[in-house]
Amino acid sequence: MKLTRILSAAALLGALVLTSCKENPQTLFPVYAWDGVGEQIDPDAVRAKFQEWKDHGVVGVCIGSHVSLENTATVSRIAHELGLEYHAWEACMLRAGLPHGWYAVNRLGQSADEFPAFVDYYKALDPRNPEVRAYLVDVCSAIAEVPDVDYVHLDYIRYPDVILARGLWDKYGLTMEHEYAPADYCYCDDCVAAFREETGIDIRAVEDPEQVPEWADFRCRAVTGLVEMIAEAVHAKGKKLSAAVFPGPDSHARWMVRQQWDEWPLDMVFPMNYNDFYLEPAEWLETITAEEVGAAGEKMPVVSGLFICPDWQRKMEVDDPENSGLLPSELGTAIAGIRRTGAAGICLFTPGRMSPEHWTELEKAIR
């Protein structure tokens, strides 16, 4: 009788363990996903897509929210009904159609709304401009008021790339071993005057502004000040703040786009560790994520962003890194390395680029 009770208890314990492992997503390495929704949405299609991702291990979604608050409310509610964490993904500094005086001015004296660097949508706002700050705080506050939004997720919370990632040089026909003047912001009257008052340096009179570290720091602090204002507003609404940022920050983000994100009051950070953009192998993801986890410390969890190759069987025929990315065979190496750093998870850019082979390898790696 006693032996029977012991065996029954052991069987019950085993069943509980198996059930827990099967049903509790926390037993897996967390996976997030970046995606967007259009102006017209089909709630049933959104639900089916979210459910498919969840079945593959996704625990949270970062969804483009700039179309309308109504769409954000609908999509975030569906995510919550399925048990997914919801980050409302907002493109901050790149916006068209706003007042001319809100836009950053480059080293050549050109406004970003008339002469955007690299591509037409790089119409960059000035993060120090008080009206820009008030506008973006209002935008993010409104998003935070949507009931099922867990995080406001900041993207393009930076200056344009004053130096592009190495893998993009050929695409734009540039050699960028130094800061690129058409993408070096902001030289508007207000920023120049504020910097001169702070340091005594007239940056417009400097032959090579790249050699003035105080000027780089001034821009970093401009972005940090904006984030601090947004964070205060979002946290006051009882919501959290996350951001998609450049890798590093010391190795890339600080000098490429003026992001000192390790000093930001974030609740979670998503570095965009797109290895092909930097001509790096999958093994690099462990190195860069380790830097990021070390920089974030106890302040915020780090979720390492992965760029997925959509047509992976033809990757060697693709010259553009923006159409490249991780192969299914590289996901195991990438995720194993990221896990060793103590990161809080990975984020896919984007689940729509994931092939069946990608999903199979991902499910193996997160277990």
Side-chain angles (χ1 to χ4, degrees), residues 260-282:
Q260 282 182 307
W261 57 255
D262 56 323
E263 298 183 6
W264 296 356
L266 299 174
D267 302 291
M268 188 176 289
V269 67
F270 290 68
M272 298 177 289
N273 295 328
Y274 302 163
N275 60 293
D276 278 310
F277 284 38
Y278 300 92
L279 304 182
E280 296 285 358

Side-chain angles (χ1 to χ4, degrees), residues 220-262:
C220 285
R221 286 186 284 113
V223 179
T224 297
L226 171 59
V227 175
E228 288 171 344
M229 294 180 68
I230 293 173
E232 183 178 3
V234 169
H235 289 152
K237 302 290 184 182
K239 300 300 177 68
K240 296 180 179 181
L241 190 68
S242 59
V245 299
F246 270 47
D250 288 343
S251 61
H252 296 83
R254 290 186 194 275
W255 55 270
M256 293 176 75
V257 291
R258 321 300 188 191
Q259 285 180 328
Q260 282 182 307
W261 57 255
D262 56 323

Side-chain angles (χ1 to χ4, degrees), residues 87-109:
H87 296 241
W89 181 11
E90 182 64 30
C92 293
M93 303 304 297
L94 299 189
R95 293 183 177 295
L98 296 175
H100 175 76
W102 289 16
Y103 289 90
V105 175
N106 67 18
R107 197 193 306 173
L108 305 178

Side-chain angles (χ1 to χ4, degrees), residues 54 60 63 160 187 243 289:
K54 182 178 180 180
I63 303 297
Y187 291 76
T289 307

Side-chain angles (χ1 to χ4, degrees), residues 33-233:
W34 278 301
D35 201 14
V37 293
E39 190 170 344
Q40 302 296 323
I41 61 172
D42 179 348
D44 291 335
V46 171
R47 183 182 301 276
K49 181 162 49 174
F50 283 1
Q51 183 63 61
E52 178 187 0
W53 299 349
K54 182 178 180 180
D55 291 344
H56 287 301
V58 171
V59 300
V61 292
C62 307
I63 303 297
S65 62
H66 59 279
V67 174
S68 74
L69 291 175
E70 182 180 359
N71 280 359
T72 297
T74 299
V75 177
S76 60
R77 183 173 61 251
I78 294 170
H80 271 193
E81 288 170 356
L82 294 174
L84 296 171
E85 188 174 275
Y86 192 87
H87 296 241
W89 181 11
E90 182 64 30
C92 293
M93 303 304 297
L94 299 189
R95 293 183 177 295
L98 296 175
H100 175 76
W102 289 16
Y103 289 90
V105 175
N106 67 18
R107 197 193 306 173
L108 305 178
Q110 300 167 329
S111 176
D113 65 334
E114 296 174 324
F115 299 92
F118 310 122
V119 288
D120 287 343
Y121 67 85
Y122 257 47
K123 298 179 183 294
L125 300 173
D126 174 5
R128 285 192 73 260
N129 184 300
E131 292 178 296
V132 169
R133 289 185 168 194
Y135 168 75
L136 290 175
V137 166
D138 286 346
V139 167
C140 293
S141 295
I143 295 170
E145 290 176 355
V146 176
D148 290 298
V149 166
D150 298 302
Y151 290 74
V152 176
H153 186 69
L154 308 179
D155 195 12
Y156 290 107
I157 187 70
R158 59 181 179 84
Y159 288 89
D161 323 47
V162 69
I163 295 181
L164 286 169
R166 179 63 183 85
L168 296 172
W169 291 9
D170 290 345
K171 176 175 181 175
Y172 293 99
L174 298 170
T175 298
M176 303 185 73
E177 295 177 357
H178 297 283
E179 294 183 358
Y180 182 53
D184 185 16
Y185 298 94
C186 174
Y187 291 76
C188 74
D189 291 343
D190 289 341
C191 288
V192 169
F195 183 66
R196 184 171 54 243
E197 181 178 354
E198 181 179 305
T199 66
I201 300 171
D202 180 356
I203 198 63
R204 288 177 179 161
V206 174
E207 182 176 350
D208 186 1
E210 186 176 357
Q211 302 304 313
V212 182
E214 297 90 346
W215 181 227
D217 180 66
F218 181 83
R219 270 85 58 82
C220 285
R221 286 186 284 113
V223 179
T224 297
L226 171 59
V227 175
E228 288 171 344
M229 294 180 68
I230 293 173
E232 183 178 3

